[in-house]
């Protein structure tokens, strides 16, 4: 493990984010970004006590100053020549599911603030580190920038506009970055998570759907790791993920 | 022509917007919104001198206060019980085509400000007028909310993220509104303009491509009018438009 | 009306096909193709008795010999220099909705035979007539080749593979032909009919969905006519059509 | 390795098919299907001499009798209670890239014969074996049915209709089967291979594009193996694959 080649995960909570941090933490020092320490403290501690290295930085990804601060912290910790093997944007805004005409402007923009502004600021801050990881193929696996999307990234239902507008925008960003930075050796990918994730908050959901009807966060993390290991002759831009019982949405 | 059933066009410039205003102005009083009077003065004058009725209101669609002011002006002009037969959102932000890492935050957001915030504010302000037009099928044709999109609404190329993120978000908004307001009798549609529009600014473009290689703004306006005349048993959500010689993008 | 510029409609039954024939029959002599005379007799008679001109030819569009015979009949009737202003492929195979492992090979191919082979044979037979109509812009409106699709053209549900495989194939054909023949002046379009069409056979359907919950065949015909009238600077490749109350599928 | 749980690969040639057979051959006995023994002899020999088990069966996947014969051979070799852990449909028809009006009927159908009829016959023959593999979760990884697609599965260019119609149809089949058999524990997936594969036949291609500009067949096989290892709470239906330098097509 090179101490100079790190993984950065934004949106570290108890679900996908923690699993992604744990998985990438087996190969790289991990930087965990979340609004509050409560979100990342446990996983940071766990990684560090298992022989890995992790730090947490309280960050509001939709705020330019806050992202700049995270960048500075990372350089303080890992040096100015730090490079990244992976950057995973897993943050999501609050989700207001209500009739369109009842949406406050701030509610409507909760999605675009995180999935639009946040994804932009995160990419702008950490693509230079990924590019550094791609130089001379320093990173064993091509440096990877992954965006977590949702059903709403490809389908925009009624009452969902505050969520889907941000998700559509994030998908557009991911596609554009893939085309620009792929030829520079950075693998940009987008994951459409089309189902309920199995976390504390969804414990009571889908009770009658049987075992494995909710997506295991670790399985998402494994798929991200797989994307990371793809050689540069074989980059996947987009995968969709859903439980086997899901009445699914998607491209066809 | 009912003086109480109006058409509202945002993004009235010398191209599509003016043609749309002219076309809908044959059947309805037209409200033309644009940042500056220079953009709408000519077409407003033309419609009024041809026996129609038009007013222009200087409006920044991405600014909540400015949209509120436009609403107030409309009510002052047409009465508190004004209803709308059509609202066309044709505004677009400035377009910064450059390497991602050279984008200023404000440049990146120029697209989302207009196509995201602007489309939201416009829809929120004028959907109530369209719903009023749908009551008792007051409007002969189902009231229609049309969003102008672009190639970048469905494809996000390198160097285009400041543009495509907004366009993707607008398309998500259009799809969600179509599902919510269609059953209430309001026809929401999205047009993917996949080609160069034939306006003053593009005069020198595609010179070798022959006649009709650029889209006539009037043809776009005619297609919007056609969408408006569709009965409620036959709503089209999305059309793509391109010149016959276009090497086209699109859904297949 | 030039007697040498005709419209050809395949799949003329009591619904969309008859309405399309009636609509195009106001401007062009119409050739109605269907397996059996019962399918086209009424509309042929109606058009002829209203001052238009129509003929019917019993044709199995999935059979090369049968399509060749139709071509020969058309030349016998309208002369060897006959040109076409429009050709509309509205034929559909029988639809076997059942578990995949219960499908006979012949059942699975019922869709591909008509929507694949049929659409190919129809296009190959009549594109030369459309190209002739495009020469010197002989036809006032660009000659138009329209394919009727369905929800299953873009979404392939369980138990639907015998239907969706053909519809997907037809959509692929339409997209490829649009790209090849658009620059030659022939407008190729594809319509995604995403709802129940209001015909005798569907009389009892959607009873509780209220008025206009099924698509009026005449409204589909009007949309096809609109596509036909688009100038060559403004070709639409694809439209989707659904009733205002439809819980819709589609591209977003 | 259970001798009763096999992998079946159709379209075993020197490229993707052989790599897939090699990869799955490390965990399962492999049945290699191809039109002629020359296509599978080398890889069958290689697997057997490396301690694995493989057999080849000369099969025309677009011919019902030939597929039935393959099924019979498989049962003769592995017993009537044979189950499958994986079935990969990698066959492709000959590809006629030419102006539409120059296509013979047989040329047009070369794609649909293999990608339509072949994919149907293959699925119908081997889904029962995959279902058997899913019983009581007999297979460690959910039994997996993978279809190899191409750029032409989602985009249908001019001169490509004989290829894209089959690929679109195959994608429709894959989507429908995923929805029907996913809930029964069989993982159905579709891969969009969007680039040139690095095989003998493409040796001289893309010479100026630099290293890794063509997709390594082994990388495709690795991605198929990854899909196979996904747990049933996390099924991916579709992945796209392209070299990092590819000017790519795709969904956005």
């Amino acid at each position: 493990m090179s101490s100079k080649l790190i993984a950065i995960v934004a949106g570290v909570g108890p679900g996908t984010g923690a699993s992604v941090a744990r998985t990438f933490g087996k190969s790289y020092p991990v930087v965990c970004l979340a609004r509050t320490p409560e979100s990342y403290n446990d996983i940071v501690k766990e990684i560090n006590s298992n022989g890995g290295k992790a730090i947490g930085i309280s960050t509001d990804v939709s705020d330019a100053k806050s992202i700049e601060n995270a960048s500075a912290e990372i350089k303080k910790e890992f040096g100015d020549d730090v490079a990244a093997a992976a950057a995973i944007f897993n943050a999501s805004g609050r989700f207001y599911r209500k009739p369109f005409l009842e949406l406050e402007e701030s509610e409507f923009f909760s999605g675009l603030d995180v999935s639009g502004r946040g994804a932009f600021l995160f990419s702008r801050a950490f693509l230079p580190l990924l590019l550094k990881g791609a130089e001379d193929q320093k990173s064993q696996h091509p440096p990877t920038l992954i965006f977590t999307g949702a059903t709403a990234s490809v389908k925009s239902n009624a009452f969902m506009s505050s969520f889907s507008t941000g998700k559509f925008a994030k998908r557009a960003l991911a596609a554009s970055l893939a085309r620009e930075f792929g030829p520079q050796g950075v693998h940009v990918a987008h994951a459409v998570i089309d189902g309920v994730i199995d976390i504390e908050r969804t414990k009571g959901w889908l009770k009658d759907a049987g075992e494995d009807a909710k997506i295991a966060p670790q399985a998402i993390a494994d798929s991200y790791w797989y994307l990371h290991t793809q050689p540069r002759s074989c980059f996947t831009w987009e995968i969709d993920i859903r439980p086997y019982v899901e009445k699914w949405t998607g491209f066809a």
Side-chain angles (χ1 to χ4, degrees), chain A:
Chain A
M1 187 194 295
S2 158
S3 68
K4 291 298 169 51
L5 211 50
I6 63 169
I8 303 160
V9 186
V12 173
T16 309
S19 292
V20 168
R22 184 180 297 116
T23 301
F24 283 75
K26 289 177 185 152
S27 301
Y28 309 109
V30 178
V31 176
C32 298
L33 309 181
R35 260 174 232 262
T36 60
E38 294 78 57
S39 295
Y40 57 70
N41 272 344
D42 286 356
I43 186 67
V44 164
K45 199 177 301 177
E46 179 193 319
I47 292 172
N48 284 320
S49 63
N50 286 340
K53 171 159 180 63
I55 64 168
I57 306 171
S58 296
T59 311
D60 174 356
V61 291
S62 66
D63 182 76
K65 286 250 176 296
S66 183
I67 281 279
E68 272 170 41
N69 172 64
S71 284
E73 288 287 318
I74 288 170
K75 294 205 166 145
K76 212 164 71 184
E77 180 74 31
F78 298 99
D80 278 347
D81 58 342
V82 62
I88 288 114
F89 187 81
N90 186 55
S92 233
R94 239 189 92 182
F95 175 13
Y96 298 88
R97 181 173 189 144
K98 45 162 116 168
F100 179 75
L101 292 173
E102 295 175 16
L103 282 168
E104 298 294 329
E105 186 175 346
S106 63
E107 292 172 341
F108 181 77
F109 279 95
S110 63
L112 278 166
D113 274 346
V114 174
S115 296
R117 172 170 286 110
F120 165 74
L121 293 171
F122 180 87
S123 302
R124 196 177 60 166
F126 302 122
L127 267 164
L129 275 60
L130 293 161
L131 287 169
K132 212 179 287 174
E135 276 169 23
D136 315 315
Q137 301 197 42
K138 181 191 287 185
S139 174
Q140 183 199 347
H141 305 300
T144 309
L145 172 58
I146 303 178
F147 296 91
T148 300
T151 310
S153 302
V154 293
K155 187 171 175 124
S156 180
N157 280 323
F159 302 156
M160 302 280 285
S161 63
S162 77
F163 191 65
S164 60
T165 46
K167 294 294 186 200
F168 269 59
K170 181 158 64 174
R171 188 167 179 254
L173 178 64
S176 182
L177 295 179
R179 287 181 168 102
E180 181 174 353
F181 293 97
Q184 300 178 53
V186 175
H187 181 181
V188 181
H190 182 255
V192 176
I193 311 297
D194 180 28
V196 175
I197 303 179
D198 192 9
I199 52 175
E200 191 60 33
R201 189 169 57 85
T202 62
K203 210 164 190 175
W205 302 17
L206 298 181
K207 280 207 159 152
D208 301 329
E211 219 187 333
D212 294 333
K214 288 179 282 190
I215 310 173
Q218 185 56 47
I220 298 178
D222 290 342
S223 69
Y224 286 13
W225 180 257
Y226 163 70
L227 290 171
H228 177 52
T229 63
Q230 287 186 312
R232 65 181 187 172
S233 90
C234 176
F235 278 178
T236 289
W237 176 61
E238 190 162 71
I239 56 167
D240 52 336
I241 282 173
R242 62 182 65 78
Y244 71 122
V245 291
E246 180 69 26
K247 302 262 168 283
W248 54 295
T249 305
F251 316 103

